[in-house]
Amino acid sequence: AVLGRTGRQARDVRESLRAVGVPSVLYRTESVFASVEAVELLHVLRAAVNPADARLLRAALATDIIGMTGDDIARLFSGGREWESAIERFFDYRDIWARGGFMRMFHALLRGEGVHERILRRPDGERLLTNVLHLAELIHREQRKEGLGADGIVKWLRGAIAESEQPGEKEEHQLRLETDENA
């Protein structure tokens, strides 16, 4: 184990270990809502709620969750049928959400966009996927508890992200340890 005084120091050590091929994990006590993945998932959900808004859809496509680069999006946006296909997929996600709830839509999105496979090819993929799945679980729990619709979930997630910097974070919101197998 390596202890760091700051999160930045610990991340530097982890990156140095990865650079020389030593697998490692980072244990932190910060909120999953303070992660980049929380903001990215918010972008994806906003696009699923309103897929006709090209600005929201482009923001969702640019996330690590969906995985398109700026060049990919520019080609897609100018390509006619491919852009229409992306819009249609997000309209389908919206319809699935309306009929079957958040988790059904979320799983359709994971499959439809190839999220698991693409993310796990990244060096930090396990961390990213762990955060995304943890966030989905918390969203699902809140949806069931409060009876939230799609707009309510987006509003709740936006609020949870804004509040993530406040002290006294619930233990269930703390980042989970990605697998430490072989680390």
Side-chain angles (χ1 to χ4, degrees):
V2 177
L3 300 176
R5 287 186 187 267
T6 65
R8 179 74 199 143
Q9 191 178 56
R11 286 188 295 277
D12 288 346
V13 169
R14 181 189 61 193
E15 293 309 314
S16 295
L17 289 170
R18 278 196 182 145
V20 294
V22 177
S24 63
V25 295
L26 186 60
Y27 176 73
R28 300 176 288 198
T29 58
E30 63 193 40
S31 169
V32 69
F33 294 113
S35 68
V36 170
E37 293 78 34
V39 174
E40 289 196 343
L41 186 56
L42 178 61
H43 290 310
V44 171
L45 297 184
R46 289 179 67 208
V49 168
N50 191 0
D53 186 326
R55 182 182 55 83
L56 294 177
L57 185 54
R58 283 192 305 269
L61 296 173
T63 65
D64 288 336
I65 295 169
I66 304 299
M68 296 186 93
T69 66
D71 289 341
D72 294 336
I73 294 168
R75 272 192 306 277
L76 188 73
F77 196 66
S78 65
R81 181 64 198 133
E82 292 176 8
W83 178 247
E84 292 300 318
S85 177
I87 293 170
E88 287 172 15
R89 285 195 320 273
F90 273 78
F91 268 105
D92 289 344
Y93 300 143
R94 185 187 71 178
D95 293 344
I96 293 167
W97 197 346
R99 288 190 321 268
F102 169 76
M103 283 307 275
R104 186 164 286 160
M105 179 281 300
F106 180 72
H107 286 293
L109 184 135
L110 292 178
R111 280 189 310 277
E113 304 302 320
V115 174
H116 278 93
E117 299 80 15
R118 189 187 56 266
I119 286 177
L120 289 177
R121 285 193 297 264
R122 295 171 46 125
D124 60 344
E126 285 184 11
R127 169 80 275 149
L128 196 152
L129 188 58
T130 298
N131 287 351
V132 170
L133 296 176
H134 185 189
L135 287 159
E137 180 185 314
L138 293 170
I139 290 167
H140 177 67
R141 186 178 306 153
E142 191 67 20
Q143 175 190 19
R144 292 182 57 103
K145 184 174 108 183
E146 299 296 329
L148 299 175
D151 289 325
I153 287 173
V154 168
K155 183 178 179 180
W156 175 82
L157 181 55
R158 187 180 309 122
I161 292 168
E163 293 174 10
S164 66
E165 296 179 13
Q166 304 299 319
E169 190 66 40
K170 295 179 183 177
E171 186 174 328
E172 67 189 21
H173 295 174
Q174 288 181 357
L175 286 173
R176 292 180 177 165
L177 188 64
E178 69 264 36
T179 182
D180 59 359
E181 187 175 322
N182 298 324

